[in-house]
Amino acid sequence: MKFIVKLHSEVMIKSKPVRVRFSKMLVSNIRNILRKLDDDARVRFNWDHIVISSQSDDPQLRDRYVETLKCLPGISHFLEVTQHNFESLDDIYQHTQRIFGDRLAGKTFCVRVKRSGKHEFSSLDVERYVGGGLNQHCQSNGVKLKDPDMTIHIQIEEDKCYLVEHRHQGLGGFPIGTQEDVLSLISGGFDSGVSTYQAIKRGTRTHYCFFNLGGAEHERGVKEVAYYLWNKFGSSHRVRFISVPFEPVVEEILERVDNGQMGVVLKRMMMKVAAEVAARFDIPALVTGEAMGQVSSQTLTNLNVIDRATDTVILRPLITWDKQEIVDTARAIGTAPFAEVMPEYCGVISQRPTVKAVLSKVEAEEAKFSEDLIERVLAATKVQDIRELAMAQPTETVEMETVQQAAAGEIILDIRAPEEEEQSPLVVAGSEVMTLPFFKLASQFENLDASRTYLLYCDRGVMSKLQALYLKEQGYNNIKVYRP
């Protein structure tokens, strides 16, 4: 089993020292990954290509090689080849005829040769000799140099010829490690998954930062996305998964910040905390999935205000992408199934969000926060090696009962943000309704009458389910979800 790997075009046009450095990094990345599949994997650098070989002929292992190489950044394409020694042009023809002769029946064809080393013949000599022999002794429809049904590719190095049986498209981009590390803010949705993939593809060792706004169930889902992206595209390098408990920030935003400024303030607080986390690990840049104009916080004015929250570089790979482009890419790379079932956080959405935030006004709102807010959040942040996510014991699925009406003695607990509840108070005939904002559930639910059953309610049913699952995991069994 043998493959010839061609480097991405942007690597090939680098200066000689840079090209050699990038190529050696790609060789190292390939070794790191393939040795997990096959102890016999051999990887050799040969200036303009990389040769991969194994003694195994296992077809299942071959399929795993192909799928792995397709997802490795830095590879333009790779050729699946058979290797043969030769002493004459006729030897090359005989090897080619044995492999491709039967495949040419009823087809037009041409032969293309690339050659390196010193030989008494040229590449054109090989094309003419092999092509003429095949045309004479096979049941083909003849040689056709332009748009043939089949092109036979032959690569010659010194006394070896490689016959190309399959050509596979690679991922492109730069080998991981050729660029500096980044910290990707990942939520599990379409945008952040694709922006993370774009960062990996560009050669960055990409770490994952998740701002937990929806409890343990949301965190589990995001961990699945992060591990999938790392395992498929970036497993040549170790990275971190960092979970930041952001409920204290949300609580203060909802209680202290002007309604129209909430979205921008939330994003700025994320950037401030992410920058502190990045500095802790000497990571020079952040990555987000923001796209210009997609939501109110992503107007150019608001992005400018958000950027001023930190001096750390904020990269936005999707800044000019359409939403459909993002969704299509998510489907292509395999993150769409995760995003489609990932609940969107709906707790901090202003009724009339500003699209032209003024920095001085936003900073005035942020001055209302507790002085130690960021320090408390950072102190509670959890850091894991991404590989630990695969070793974690699978958690038992928690089922949550959903009801359309309250039974006798049950209390409907409205967990919406205060301004949502004030704008449209929940009134249910014949049922008792209480209010307790979702961001206070963790600290105040224990103060409620434990003998009563509580039906959690929010407008969309997302937050109520997440919070109900969280409370049930904490040992509370007097919980249901209310969806009238």
Side-chain angles (χ1 to χ4, degrees):
M1 183 167 58
K2 192 175 293 288
F3 300 89
I4 295 177
V5 172
K6 299 293 186 176
L7 284 70
H8 181 53
S9 58
E10 285 191 67
V11 177
M12 298 294 286
I13 63 175
K14 298 292 185 184
S15 65
K16 182 176 179 180
V18 175
R19 178 172 164 180
V20 169
R21 180 169 64 88
F22 279 29
S23 299
K24 288 183 176 179
M25 286 187 175
L26 180 56
V27 168
S28 177
N29 294 349
I30 293 173
R31 285 196 182 114
N32 288 343
I33 292 180
L34 292 187
R35 283 177 179 172
K36 300 174 187 177
L37 305 178
D38 181 10
D39 291 336
D40 293 327
R42 298 292 180 268
V43 186
R44 175 170 57 87
F45 174 52
N46 201 6
W47 178 236
D48 68 341
H49 64 272
I50 297 168
V51 179
I52 301 172
S53 59
S54 172
Q55 298 299 316
S56 175
D57 291 323
D58 182 353
Q60 291 185 338
L61 182 60
R62 173 262 176 198
D63 292 343
R64 294 176 69 187
Y65 263 69
V66 170
E67 289 306 310
T68 298
L69 293 174
K70 282 182 178 179
C71 298
L72 198 61
I75 296 176
S76 171
H77 62 274
F78 58 99
L79 310 173
E80 194 170 348
V81 302
T82 56
Q83 176 182 312
H84 309 273
N85 294 327
F86 71 91
E87 295 181 357
S88 66
L89 287 178
D90 192 62
D91 290 339
I92 299 174
Y93 160 70
Q94 294 296 338
H95 292 310
T96 307
Q97 197 279 335
R98 185 169 58 255
I99 292 176
F100 293 102
D102 293 341
R103 303 184 196 179
L104 293 176
K107 298 178 180 178
T108 58
F109 74 97
C110 71
V111 178
R112 299 299 182 194
V113 176
K114 290 186 177 181
R115 184 180 58 86
S116 63
K118 295 182 178 180
H119 303 95
E120 295 180 352
F121 51 80
S122 67
S123 298
L124 185 58
D125 292 334
V126 181
E127 291 176 357
R128 287 171 174 168
Y129 188 94
V130 174
L134 293 173
N135 190 42
Q136 184 176 356
H137 296 98
C138 299
Q139 301 298 315
S140 72
N141 280 348
V143 175
K144 186 180 180 183
L145 299 181
K146 186 176 181 180
D147 297 326
D149 296 327
M150 185 173 178
T151 300
I152 298 173
H153 294 277
I154 303 174
Q155 295 204 179
I156 297 173
E157 294 179 11
E158 302 299 342
D159 63 344
K160 296 180 177 61
C161 71
Y162 299 99
L163 302 181
V164 180
E165 297 210 41
H166 299 284
R167 183 185 189 279
H168 303 281
Q169 188 62 39
L171 196 63
F174 289 152
I176 295 177
T178 58
Q179 312 302 311
E180 296 175 86
D181 288 15
V182 299
L183 182 65
S184 180
L185 279 57
I186 185 166
S187 66
F190 288 101
D191 301 343
S192 64
V194 175
S195 63
T196 301
Y197 159 77
Q198 291 292 105
I200 296 171
K201 181 181 174 182
R202 200 59 184 170
T204 69
R205 187 166 69 146
T206 303
H207 304 269
Y208 302 82
C209 183
F210 166 58
F211 290 94
N212 194 339
L213 304 173
E217 191 72 13
H218 191 188
E219 181 172 332
R220 274 196 292 269
V222 175
K223 283 181 175 179
E224 288 181 1
V225 180
Y227 184 82
Y228 171 86
L229 285 164
W230 171 79
N231 190 50
K232 190 172 181 67
F233 302 108
S235 62
S236 58
H237 288 68
R238 298 179 182 179
V239 299
R240 301 176 181 89
F241 181 88
I242 300 159
S243 180
V244 182
F246 228 51
E247 293 93 338
V249 176
V250 173
E251 181 175 351
E252 296 210 10
I253 287 175
L254 291 172
E255 289 186 340
R256 306 184 183 192
V257 173
D258 175 73
N259 187 282
Q261 312 293 330
M262 285 182 178
V264 173
V265 170
L266 177 65
K267 289 291 183 70
R268 279 174 55 89
M269 294 299 289
M270 286 180 174
M271 299 308 165
K272 288 181 180 181
V273 173
E276 293 289 341
V277 171
R280 183 185 300 177
F281 299 109
D282 295 322
I283 299 172
L286 310 178
V287 173
T288 80
E290 291 162 313
M292 183 167 52
Q294 190 177 113
V295 295
S296 61
S297 65
Q298 295 172 20
T299 63
L300 287 179
T301 298
N302 287 354
L303 290 175
N304 183 31
V305 172
I306 291 168
D307 281 355
R308 291 170 183 264
T310 175
D311 291 332
T312 305
V313 176
I314 301 174
L315 305 176
R316 296 182 172 94
L318 312 183
I319 191 65
T320 62
W321 287 37
D322 294 335
K323 187 65 176 184
Q324 192 57 51
E325 291 179 278
I326 296 170
V327 172
D328 291 345
T329 302
R331 292 197 176 107
I333 66 177
T335 58
F338 299 100
E340 286 166 352
V341 298
M342 193 70 62
E344 292 188 14
Y345 179 75
C346 56
V348 186
I349 298 177
S350 304
Q351 300 299 319
R352 293 185 177 87
T354 180
V355 295
K356 287 188 176 293
V358 177
L359 181 60
S360 59
K361 291 183 179 180
V362 170
E363 289 176 336
E365 293 297 321
E366 291 174 348
K368 301 174 183 177
F369 288 144
S370 303
E371 291 184 2
D372 65 342
L373 178 59
I374 290 179
E375 288 75 9
R376 283 189 284 119
V377 168
L378 288 170
T381 294
K382 297 179 293 183
V383 180
Q384 289 180 275
D385 186 311
I386 194 79
R387 297 171 299 173
E388 295 176 10
L389 305 189
M391 295 183 288
Q393 293 295 322
T395 55
E396 182 179 349
T397 301
V398 179
E399 296 296 332
M400 182 53 56
E401 183 179 355
T402 300
V403 299
Q404 294 182 323
Q405 60 184 17
E410 294 180 336
I411 298 175
I412 299 174
L413 191 60
D414 187 346
I415 66 168
R416 293 176 296 169
E419 63 272 10
E420 292 181 278
E421 189 273 326
E422 290 173 5
Q423 188 175 31
S424 57
L426 179 65
V427 177
V428 180
S431 296
E432 182 179 355
V433 178
M434 292 179 57
T435 61
L436 183 62
F438 68 93
F439 52 85
K440 292 185 177 180
L441 278 173
S443 59
Q444 297 188 18
F445 187 81
E446 63 181 358
N447 299 328
L448 301 181
D449 185 352
S451 66
R452 307 289 294 273
T453 296
Y454 298 90
L455 314 183
L456 273 57
Y457 169 80
C458 71
D459 285 335
R460 303 184 189 182
V462 176
M463 186 57 65
S464 55
K465 182 176 181 181
L466 288 173
Q467 293 298 328
L469 288 169
Y470 170 76
L471 289 172
K472 194 162 187 177
E473 288 173 347
Q474 302 308 304
Y476 296 103
N477 294 312
N478 56 335
I479 299 294
K480 297 179 185 178
V481 174
Y482 178 62
R483 294 293 293 157

